Amino acid sequence: MKIAFVGKGGSGKTTLSSLFIRHLAANEAHVVAVDADINQHLGAALGLDEDESAALPAMGAELPLIKEYLRGSNPRIASAETMIKTTPPGEGSRLLRVREDNPIFDACARTVRLDDGDIRLMATGPFTESDLGVACYHSKVGAVELCLNHLVDGPDEYVVVDMTAGSDSFASGMFTRFDMTFLVAEPTRKGVSVYRQYKEYARDFGVGLKVVGNKVQGEDDLDFLRSEVGDDLLVTVGHSDWVRAMEKGRPARFELLEADNRMALQALQNAAEDSYERRDWARYTRQMVHFHLRNAESWGNEKTGADLAAQVDPGFVLDERFLHAEATQPA
């Protein structure tokens, strides 16, 4: 399952995504975690020190490798240089699988040992001063989107993405790449403003969206969230001494996280598993193509000098028959 955590800056989405990742690892799920926030904090939230976090390879820096590998022998893609972030897979493309080893994971992922298991961690890379005026952060996140387009995943497999704050993912079709989006909202007017944006944008695309209320201190906060987001409110999270210790760099073992918060994380996993049952690979592929054609027309054709609509393989549907098959994998 592909899971996104979104919310306004300071909402606690990185903390909650890291807790969810720890929870999944404790439940023996296979997890690839991706830090796609412009502020790269997921590694620290998962227990890495500053040097370890700084040493994480940047996906954005490996974009040529990512494109060349995913292109494979797809005859519709003339060269890796003509691939953009929305390029969909077709016959001959290489696909990514959560449990496999491949050159992209070798270059971009690092194993992080948690209390109850190991996960793979990937990061887009930070937006630095050298990028100002010459690069857009979407070019870094584009590596994540391209990988998601070529990812085939099954039950008990999770790709958890800590997204950049606000509604930035609507600059492309990335918001449709997820089976479930957890929107972390504080019980304030600003806290629910991003929810309204997401709800409006996602309405026509069947995007699974649930709200996680964070920093909820009492019934008044709960009533506010219920009145603002209605049935989309999945669960709420309050104060956590475990989280406070973790933020000081002195976390206890994860099994000591408060029982109420463990139950909240299980509710998130249950919602993710329910979304898997509703997965529609044909619609997913159509949406991928839809946003690719939009991006091709608006900027991609001009940038690459190619007709990117020709990259679309009309007979190809990405689905779970490729989980163990090698039909799209060139030798």
Side-chain angles (χ1 to χ4, degrees):
M1 283 147 279
K2 295 175 280 288
I3 308 298
F5 279 81
V6 300
K8 78 173 186 66
S11 64
K13 68 177 180 60
T14 298
T15 297
L16 281 169
S17 62
S18 72
L19 292 178
F20 186 58
I21 290 163
R22 291 176 186 269
H23 171 81
L24 293 174
N27 285 351
E28 300 182 344
H30 300 270
V31 183
V32 175
V34 182
D35 191 346
D37 196 346
I38 193 169
N39 300 305
Q40 304 268 281
H41 295 312
L42 184 58
L46 290 170
L48 300 186
D49 61 31
E50 289 185 12
D51 290 339
E52 291 170 326
S53 294
L56 289 171
M59 293 179 70
E62 299 292 345
L63 196 53
L65 179 151
I66 291 171
K67 290 180 177 181
E68 189 60 49
Y69 179 77
L70 295 178
R71 181 173 76 98
S73 61
N74 187 333
R76 296 176 179 273
I77 302 176
S79 67
E81 288 73 22
T82 63
M83 294 179 74
I84 62 174
K85 61 186 178 180
T86 55
T87 296
E91 190 67 30
S93 296
R94 289 191 179 99
L95 303 179
L96 299 178
R97 299 169 181 84
V98 171
R99 306 190 198 191
E100 72 179 358
D101 293 319
N102 59 57
I104 292 178
F105 286 160
D106 289 344
C108 301
R110 294 295 178 264
T111 298
V112 176
R113 289 200 161 94
L114 304 176
D115 291 343
D116 300 298
D118 297 346
I119 60 105
R120 278 173 165 154
L121 175 61
M122 305 171 75
T124 59
F127 195 70
T128 63
E129 286 187 13
S130 62
D131 294 319
L132 295 177
V134 296
C136 171
Y137 187 67
H138 298 128
S139 65
K140 296 178 181 289
V141 179
V144 179
E145 185 169 357
L146 194 57
C147 287
L148 289 175
N149 279 359
H150 290 74
L151 176 74
V152 56
D153 54 308
D156 298 322
E157 298 178 345
Y158 285 83
V159 177
V160 181
V161 183
D162 180 23
M163 299 287 287
T164 195
S167 55
D168 233 24
S169 67
F170 295 112
S172 69
M174 192 166 168
F175 72 100
T176 65
R177 302 298 85 206
F178 301 101
D179 297 295
M180 177 58 66
T181 296
F182 292 125
L183 191 146
V184 182
E186 299 169 82
T188 64
R189 290 169 63 186
K190 287 184 178 180
V192 299
S193 62
V194 176
Y195 161 77
R196 294 197 184 95
Q197 287 179 296
Y198 253 85
K199 186 74 172 178
E200 182 176 348
Y201 281 124
R203 183 180 302 144
D204 298 330
F205 294 96
V207 174
L209 177 66
K210 289 294 181 182
V211 174
V212 181
N214 194 27
K215 305 177 186 178
V216 174
Q217 298 182 9
E219 284 297 320
D220 186 63
D221 286 347
L222 183 57
D223 290 343
F224 174 82
L225 286 172
R226 283 173 173 161
S227 67
E228 293 294 326
V229 307
D231 292 340
D232 285 338
L233 181 63
L234 175 64
V235 72
T236 62
V237 178
H239 174 77
S240 170
D241 290 332
W242 192 96
V243 169
R244 182 56 62 93
M246 180 268 288
E247 290 174 339
K248 293 177 180 177
R250 301 194 295 267
R253 286 192 59 82
F254 184 66
E255 64 192 26
L256 299 178
L257 180 71
E258 298 86 356
D260 287 350
N261 290 330
R262 291 295 293 264
M263 291 176 63
L265 294 173
Q266 186 59 53
L268 266 62
Q269 185 175 4
N270 292 344
E273 290 175 351
D274 289 345
S275 74
Y276 177 80
E277 299 300 323
R278 300 188 298 271
R279 177 179 283 189
D280 184 344
W281 284 101
R283 183 183 69 186
Y284 185 81
T285 304
R286 287 196 303 272
Q287 290 175 346
M288 195 188 311
V289 169
H290 168 77
F291 282 102
H292 178 62
L293 295 177
R294 283 180 53 175
N295 278 264
E297 183 177 357
S298 64
W299 62 270
N301 290 343
E302 181 178 356
K303 180 177 180 180
T304 63
D307 176 13
L308 300 185
Q311 294 179 343
V312 175
D313 185 341
F316 184 86
V317 175
L318 182 69
D319 60 37
E320 289 178 33
R321 71 200 151 136
F322 296 115
L323 265 176
H324 305 291
E326 298 300 321
T328 64
Q329 302 283 106

